[in-house]
Structure formats: C-alpha cells, structure tokens
Amino acid sequence: MEMLTINNVWMMVCTALVFFMHLGFSFLEIGLTRQKNTINILFKNVFIICVGLLLYCLVGFNLMYPGFEEGAAGFLGFAGFGLDSPLTAEGALDLTYNEGYTYWTDFLFQGMFAATAATIVSGAVAERIKLGAFMIFTIIYVGLVYPIVGSWQWGGGFLSTFKIGETEGFYDFAGSTLVHSVGGWAALVAVYLLGSRIGKFSSDGKPQAIPGHNIPLAAAGVLILWLGWFGFNGGSVLSADAAGTSLTLVTTSLAAAAGGVVAFLVSTLLYKNYDLTMFLNGILGGLVGITAGADQMSPTDAVLIGAIAGAIIVFGVALIDKLKLDDPVGAIAVHLICGIWGTLAVGIFGAKAGFDQFLIQGVGVLSAGVFCVATSFIIIFALKKTIGIRVSEKEEIDGLDGHEHGMDAYPDFRINQH
C-alpha cells in the first residue's frame, strides 16, 4: 500500500507538470506571433485543455483503453461512455486494474496528454484560422482520432503485438508518434488547406520573416515546456521506480540540451547569425526526439538523438518554407519531423536497437500517419467547404483579437502592424 501511495503521488506531480506545459505552449505561440492575435491564441489554448479533459472523460479514455480481447486485431474498441472506476464486490477500489496506481490517477495523467495533440495544431494555424472551425476540429480530433491511435499501442491494440521475426511490439514510451506526430500530421494538413498568412511569401515565392512580438515570452514558454517534459516523460514510467524515473529524466534533459546546441550551431553556420528562435526550437526538437525511447537510452544515446533532432529542426524549418507552407511556430518541424525521427531512433539506439525493431517502428509511424492525414483532411476539408476555415483579409490584417473577441491583450500599448 505504501508503494501505491508513493507511485500515485509521483504520477500526480507529473500530471501537474504536464498541465503546466499548456502555459508553456501558450507563451511560445504568443511570443512567436503578433500582438494583435494574443487573446485569440490564449482562448484556443484554454479551450483545448477544458474541452479536452471533458471529451477524454466522456469518450476518449475508454476509446484509448477499450480492453481489447486477447488475440483481437485491436484496431477499434470502446469500453463505454464516461468514467466507471473498477470496484470489488464489496465496493472498494479494485487494484487488480493496475497494481501501480489508481484508475483516477491514470485518467487524469492520460487526459493531460490528450489535449496536447490539438495544442500542436493551434501553433501551426495561428493568426488566420476561424475560431469556430478550430474548436469543431479540436472536439473531433481530440475526442476521437487521438484516442483511437493511442489505443493501437498503449491500449493493447494491433501495434503492441505487431511482430517481425522474433521482435514483437511497436515502442513509443511517451508519445513521439502517439502524441507529437498525431498533432504534427494534423498541423501539416491544416496549414496546407488554410494557406499562408498575408505577407509570408513575396510575389516571387520567397519566404518573408514575420517577427514574433515577444521573444522573451517565447523563451519562457520553451523553458516551461522543458520543465513540463520531466512530467511528460518521467510520469510515463507509470511508477516512482527510482532507476526508471532517474534515467528517464537524465536522457530527457541531455537530448534537450544537445538539440538546442546543435540547432544553434547549424543555423549559425548556415545563416551567419545567432538565432534564438532556432535555439529554442532545437531544444523542443530534442525533447520530442527522445520521448519515444527515453527509458531505453544511455546518456550518450540521448545526446546523439537530441543532436540529430537539433539539425533536423534547422533543415525542417527550411523545408517547410520551401514547400510554401506557413507554420508560425515551427510546429511541423518540431512535432512531426522530430517525432518521426524519435520513433525510428528506438530501432537504432538503446536497449531495443535492431533492424526488425526499426521496421516495426516504421510500421507504427506509417499507420499513424495514414490515419491522421486521412481523418484530419476529411474534418478540415469538410469545415472549409461548409462554414469556412479562414478569416477574412480585413480580420487578418486588423488582428483576430478585435474581430473575434472584442478586446485587446495590450490596450495601453498599441503597435500598428500588418
């Protein structure tokens, strides 16, 4: 009973840290965009966490953990609406559900993860998406798509038993694919269907910088996210096991540091300036990259994974620009591309490294990618053809805060910006 209490306390601390990440995401998105859209961004992020938790309670948790029957294909299952804690005949909590922590702890920790997928999309579509369309997308994607993909591995679905040779099971410790790429694929589709912000690309197609209005806030957001990742990865040990949690926190930190350093070095060599935003996104890339295998890596492995993720960030951001996709915060490079890298890295580095494992990781990436691209395209394209997904040119130039919210984040400090 004592270990149950210790495990629960640790998991609840980690739950609080993951909750705190929503402030980090908000600060980062606000800082890298223009002041005239600040209220809009805050509204989206507050909406995501509130509605995400309610949806996860109503349908998401039981979609993600449906209790697939032994030997079933495990593509889709549902354990029923709402939360119903497993009880013994005497009415006490049934700890055979999970010897390590309670049902309620499990729900709340996993619920914090669920909202993150839509937060990733929020950053990519900032400054030009209709709020109503974004809210409808969030409800469907967080309520249905995210938990279904999660069930394929974390819920005991087909990816958890997928076998090549003697190697069995896709591995994604804390969600490089199941959280970050799920959000990243939707971000890619949304950015493609939305189009770029006015002024992002010149008449000859060259990308133009649209500077964020508060880089100190963006830096604070990244440091808050790094802190929150101790809960994101540390809590994914699903216990207070001393060896597992301490190694996980070390590999998480080292990958973040390596990602930041390599991103700033590569960007400095390429662009001949010390780009803080690239440094910051490199840290996030390293964190996303280590997330799939944080408990399986040595410190050296973690540094290598983070370093490669840092380089990927620089070239990934350039690639997104070259494809004429407008991603104000670099969410696609960070969460999608580094999420794919981190997932594949499980088959290259660490305790599970092997060619068969690498192939299984690839199957997991492909499965999630096909499903997420298809579902997000259907949702966003349907919204585009019905209620529309993009604000008017006047609304975009004036700023969404005034038009959609009737208020200003900085009423005593106005900058005329277009």
Side-chain angles (χ1 to χ4, degrees):
M1 202 65 189
E2 186 180 341
M3 271 316 293
L4 178 73
T5 302
I6 293 168
N7 288 340
N8 263 292
V9 170
W10 169 244
M11 295 268 301
M12 281 301 180
V13 168
C14 290
T15 299
L17 287 169
V18 179
F19 177 82
F20 194 41
M21 291 175 76
H22 289 277
L23 180 64
F25 279 120
S26 299
F27 278 6
L28 177 62
E29 189 178 341
I30 290 165
L32 294 180
T33 53
R34 288 165 292 184
Q35 59 126 41
K36 61 187 179 181
N37 299 309
T38 300
I39 300 288
N40 183 258
I41 288 164
L42 286 170
F43 193 99
K44 284 188 298 177
N45 280 275
V46 172
F47 175 84
I48 287 165
I49 185 64
C50 291
V51 172
L53 270 173
L54 293 172
L55 288 168
Y56 203 64
C57 169
L58 184 63
V59 294
F61 189 55
N62 284 337
L63 263 178
M64 198 158 169
Y65 299 95
F68 287 122
E69 289 181 21
E70 198 71 37
F75 286 96
L76 181 64
F78 186 48
F81 292 98
L83 297 179
D84 186 18
S85 179
L87 302 173
T88 63
E90 293 76 33
L93 186 64
D94 181 8
L95 294 179
T96 58
Y97 160 77
N98 193 310
E99 297 291 345
Y101 47 92
T102 70
Y103 178 86
W104 307 116
T105 300
D106 194 19
F107 161 74
L108 200 56
F109 181 69
Q110 302 297 343
M112 292 301 157
F113 274 59
T116 305
T119 309
I120 292 163
V121 183
S122 172
V125 300
E127 304 201 288
R128 75 267 201 212
I129 195 167
K130 281 185 178 178
L131 185 58
F134 179 80
M135 291 192 289
I136 293 168
F137 166 79
T138 296
I139 289 167
I140 300 169
Y141 206 70
V142 173
L144 300 175
V145 177
Y146 168 79
I148 289 170
V149 178
S151 77
W152 293 349
Q153 203 249 338
W154 291 341
F158 78 97
L159 284 178
S160 66
T161 55
F162 188 82
K163 197 170 183 179
I164 294 179
E166 296 300 308
T167 306
E168 182 178 355
F170 173 71
Y171 196 80
D172 191 355
F173 173 65
S176 285
T177 283
L178 300 177
V179 179
H180 295 284
S181 286
V182 165
W185 287 116
L188 180 65
V189 171
V191 166
Y192 171 73
L193 288 174
L194 256 182
S196 60
R197 291 169 293 171
I198 296 166
K200 174 60 184 175
F201 296 99
S202 64
S203 55
D204 57 359
K206 288 185 178 173
Q208 309 291 310
I210 300 180
H213 85 281
N214 196 329
I215 300 304
L217 205 59
V222 169
L223 293 172
I224 289 171
L225 286 168
W226 189 344
L227 174 63
W229 234 285
F230 289 145
F232 201 88
N233 286 358
S236 295
V237 176
L238 303 180
S239 77
D241 174 67
T245 53
S246 55
L247 174 65
T248 297
L249 297 187
V250 167
T251 56
T252 299
S253 283
L254 289 173
V261 168
V262 170
F264 109 69
L265 288 174
V266 172
S267 66
T268 302
L269 287 170
L270 286 177
Y271 305 119
K272 304 295 184 285
N273 60 21
Y274 296 109
D275 188 334
L276 177 62
T277 59
M278 206 64 86
F279 201 164
L280 295 172
N281 268 338
I283 291 169
L284 296 180
L287 288 164
V288 172
I290 197 62
T291 292
D295 65 328
Q296 300 293 317
M297 303 299 169
S298 71
T300 307
D301 294 330
V303 169
L304 289 169
I305 289 169
I308 293 168
I312 286 171
I313 287 296
V314 180
F315 294 110
V317 168
L319 175 64
I320 300 301
D321 277 347
K322 195 165 187 179
L323 294 172
K324 295 187 176 54
L325 297 171
D326 182 12
D327 178 359
V329 302
I332 296 167
V334 169
H335 298 281
L336 175 57
I337 304 176
C338 287
I340 292 169
W341 158 241
T343 306
L344 296 177
V346 172
I348 303 170
F349 299 99
K352 288 189 169 288
F355 186 65
D356 288 346
Q357 185 68 53
F358 180 80
L359 293 177
I360 292 171
Q361 297 301 102
V363 169
V365 168
L366 194 62
S367 302
V370 169
F371 184 70
C372 291
V373 167
T375 51
S376 57
F377 185 88
I378 290 167
I379 298 164
I380 299 167
F381 190 75
L383 288 169
K384 185 174 183 176
K385 292 299 180 186
T386 51
I387 64 172
I389 58 174
R390 181 146 185 168
V391 298
S392 70
E393 184 175 335
K394 177 174 173 49
E395 287 172 316
E396 185 177 342
I397 291 170
D398 292 347
L400 304 185
D401 290 0
H403 284 277
E404 294 211 310
H405 305 277
M407 55 177 70
D408 194 330
Y410 311 98
D412 298 323
F413 178 67
R414 292 178 180 272
I415 299 173
N416 185 27
Q417 51 181 329
H418 293 277

